[in-house]
Amino acid sequence: MIEGFDEIVLAWEKHELFYKELYEKKKGNPAEYRRFLSQLNVEDLREEGLVVPDLYDTFEIYGETTPIFDLNTDIAVWKHSRYTPAYLHAHRYFEIVCVVSGHARHRVSGEAVMELQPGDICILPDGVCHSLEVISDDGIVINVMLKKSTFQYTFFDILSSDNLLSRFFQDALLEHKENNYLFFRTGNEEDDTIEYCIKAMFLNYYKHRKYYDKMLKHLVSCLFILLLRNYNKYYIPDKNSQKELKIMRYLQEHYADATLEHAAAYFNYSTSYFSRMVKHNTGCNFTELLVKYRLELACRLLRESRLKVGEICEIIGYRNLEHFNRQFRKEFDRTPTQYRREHRDNVKKDQI
């Protein structure tokens, strides 16, 4: 529990009271609702930044400018106003939608409405149309907005040191498809670290204490690390990415002894069909995918362990050290030993 969070987010703001009245009028007598709308001044509503889809076109593309972002930070953290009417919009920045309590309805472009529950987190890249509706007094949803440059610095800096699975998450957000997003369900965990990160982000931004912008970047990084570390439990793939994710998970568990024949049998496919499916879903054939995974794991072990090159060679599934060295040089234009030396030299420079 973070002291002060509930008191702030549960307090009713002026525009929330307006939206709640609008919602209740719409649920009631249609004639009375039309009469209520007729009394509203569209220009005043626009001036106040209020959204009433039944009166005027509300679609908007929000840019990386104020009032979304402060002048001194690349990250903004807001509470989503309760009872705001659902309306499609897009933005030129990344957004993380975090449900803290209650329920919310989320639609990404043309997809069916998702019923979100506490602990659900959606990461949306720039340019994706979506709508969000929170229709209860206890519905608390925190929106974390990140400029694209900041998102790439935090999220992709973490991913760059991970394995082939990380590339799957990168591609999911960089392909600029109409319905791109990542969806994590974290509410069933006894560990409340993720919830703590979200609440701490909100309070740091809300109170604007000294160094709050630096604290926000660290908290966002922490959130991403927790999501990636526990992706097996949290990540909910959409229909289009389920096959690719299953292949990545298989490689993560069987990289040392995986073969095309064994993998095809594991998924109950013929070898030829599985080979085509891997190529279609990942852009690489099975051998290329396996080599990439093994070499990326080798890089991590070279950077983070004191294991000898021969030991790393055996761990990742190579039986011939010369063959491993040859493939490593072909991929990275340097030997494993040179790679390790360069990485340690760079670390020493950063510490000076």
Side-chain angles (χ1 to χ4, degrees):
M1 180 177 179
I2 296 185
E3 185 177 353
F5 177 83
D6 289 345
E7 181 181 356
I8 294 171
V9 297
L10 291 175
W12 288 93
E13 299 175 5
K14 180 181 176 181
H15 55 277
E16 285 185 306
L17 293 173
F18 168 79
Y19 284 138
K20 185 174 182 180
E21 182 181 12
L22 184 72
Y23 173 78
E24 291 174 344
K25 293 286 187 184
K26 189 169 185 177
K27 282 180 61 180
N29 185 284
E32 289 185 7
Y33 177 62
R34 288 194 297 271
R35 187 159 47 250
F36 175 76
L37 290 179
S38 68
Q39 296 171 355
L40 299 176
N41 184 295
V42 173
E43 294 304 319
D44 289 345
L45 295 173
R46 291 181 181 274
E47 184 70 22
E48 291 288 329
L50 295 169
V51 176
V52 185
D54 289 337
L55 278 182
Y56 52 87
D57 181 17
T58 57
F59 181 80
E60 189 169 351
I61 300 177
Y62 299 99
E64 290 187 342
T65 56
T66 53
I68 302 296
F69 295 96
D70 287 350
L71 294 176
N72 297 323
T73 183
D74 294 336
I75 301 175
V77 188
W78 292 359
K79 177 187 76 172
H80 187 88
S81 297
R82 289 166 286 185
Y83 293 98
T84 304
Y87 69 101
L88 277 178
H89 62 281
H91 29 70
R92 299 304 182 197
Y93 47 84
F94 281 72
E95 182 173 5
I96 310 171
V97 177
C98 312
V99 182
V100 176
S101 63
H103 293 78
R105 294 173 180 169
H106 191 214
R107 181 193 295 271
V108 180
S109 194
E111 288 199 350
V113 173
M114 293 184 287
E115 297 289 342
L116 303 184
Q117 59 192 37
D120 287 355
I121 296 174
C122 290
I123 302 178
L124 299 124
D126 65 299
V128 172
C129 293
H130 74 119
S131 67
L132 183 65
E133 188 177 21
V134 183
I135 50 174
S136 65
D137 290 2
D138 66 343
I140 302 302
V141 175
I142 301 301
N143 294 333
V144 182
M145 285 76 72
L146 303 94
K147 290 185 177 180
K148 288 185 285 186
S149 57
T150 302
F151 185 89
Q152 291 167 349
Y153 173 80
T154 54
F155 191 59
F156 292 129
D157 181 59
I158 294 168
L159 289 180
S160 65
S161 63
D162 211 294
N163 51 44
L164 195 64
L165 180 71
S166 301
R167 187 173 298 131
F168 167 78
F169 288 111
Q170 292 186 45
D171 292 344
L173 292 175
L174 289 179
E175 289 181 355
H176 296 289
K177 294 179 180 177
E178 183 180 11
N179 296 334
N180 269 12
Y181 64 92
L182 296 178
F183 180 38
F184 300 87
R185 175 151 282 167
T186 73
N188 296 324
E189 291 293 302
E190 293 183 4
D191 183 2
D192 59 357
T193 310
I194 287 179
E195 181 181 344
Y196 178 90
C197 284
I198 294 166
K199 291 181 176 180
M201 278 189 276
F202 174 82
L203 288 180
N204 269 274
Y205 185 80
Y206 181 86
K207 295 182 178 181
H208 272 48
R209 290 176 175 170
K210 192 175 183 180
Y211 304 124
Y212 79 96
D213 54 330
K214 293 180 175 60
M215 179 63 75
L216 284 175
K217 290 182 179 179
H218 285 296
L219 288 168
V220 170
S221 295
C222 181
L223 175 64
F224 290 152
I225 289 170
L226 290 170
L227 292 176
L228 286 172
R229 177 185 290 170
N230 300 288
Y231 81 92
N232 274 316
K233 293 187 292 183
Y234 297 156
Y235 179 61
I236 310 296
D238 59 30
K239 293 180 181 179
N240 294 326
S241 61
Q242 285 179 354
K243 289 183 179 179
E244 183 178 353
L245 186 58
K246 287 179 180 178
I247 295 169
M248 300 301 182
R249 285 174 174 169
Y250 177 85
L251 287 179
Q252 189 178 44
E253 295 172 1
H254 302 279
Y255 60 84
D257 56 1
T259 66
L260 177 61
E261 291 74 19
H262 289 164
Y266 176 86
F267 288 104
N268 293 318
Y269 293 128
S270 68
T271 303
S272 59
Y273 176 81
F274 182 71
S275 178
R276 292 194 301 271
M277 187 185 76
V278 170
K279 181 71 174 180
H280 174 76
N281 284 281
T282 69
C284 302
N285 64 42
F286 184 82
T287 300
E288 292 169 340
L289 205 61
L290 181 60
V291 168
K292 285 184 178 181
Y293 189 93
R294 285 174 169 173
L295 293 182
E296 288 179 4
L297 178 58
C299 286
R300 182 152 60 88
L301 292 173
L302 288 166
R303 293 193 306 267
E304 300 175 6
S305 78
R306 295 183 177 276
L307 293 170
K308 296 179 180 179
V309 173
E311 293 173 325
I312 293 174
C313 171
E314 292 183 10
I315 288 172
I316 65 174
Y318 282 89
R319 301 293 177 260
N320 185 294
L321 180 59
E322 183 179 348
H323 178 56
F324 167 62
N325 283 328
R326 187 164 54 248
Q327 285 207 318
F328 194 96
R329 179 187 282 276
K330 180 180 178 182
E331 181 71 18
F332 301 108
D333 197 30
R334 53 184 58 75
T335 66
T337 302
Q338 290 170 330
Y339 177 91
R340 169 175 273 172
R341 187 183 304 120
E342 288 176 9
H343 175 75
R344 289 179 176 171
D345 289 343
N346 289 335
V347 170
K348 289 179 181 178
K349 289 178 183 177
D350 291 340
Q351 293 174 344
I352 295 176

